[in-house]
Amino acid sequence: MNRKHLLAEYEKLVQLADELSRQLAACREIIEVVIGGVYHSRVKWHQKTISEVISAVVDIQYSLELELRLIEAQKAFLARLIDRNNDIH
């Protein structure tokens, strides 16, 4: 792979990581809204429904976090390749 290709791949990973970070923030916000709504009696859902919603969002959040960690590892690997490629030229 040449440096230009590696940099393009790295940029794709950066954009994907940014999108995952936004999705993770949305998950945290959903959980906070549900919990805050329950605490302030704005949410009148059955306890089981609340638990299921929070559990589903947490499952999504964990999946996104795992994907983000894998992308961060790929970014680190590509960064090393780019640095090595740069040292050669």
Side-chain angles (χ1 to χ4, degrees), residues 20-68:
L20 289 173
S21 293
R22 284 189 289 276
Q23 291 176 3
L24 282 165
C27 287
R28 286 189 293 272
E29 187 175 342
I30 289 168
I31 292 170
E32 288 174 14
V33 167
V34 170
I35 292 172
V38 169
Y39 180 75
H40 296 292
S41 299
R42 291 186 301 255
V43 174
K44 303 289 185 193
W45 297 343
H46 187 276
Q47 183 177 353
K48 184 177 179 184
T49 302
I50 294 167
S51 295
E52 288 172 350
V53 168
I54 291 174
S55 177
V57 174
V58 167
D59 287 348
I60 293 167
Q61 187 176 11
Y62 287 148
S63 176
L64 292 171
E65 286 174 356
L66 176 60
E67 190 172 348
L68 182 58

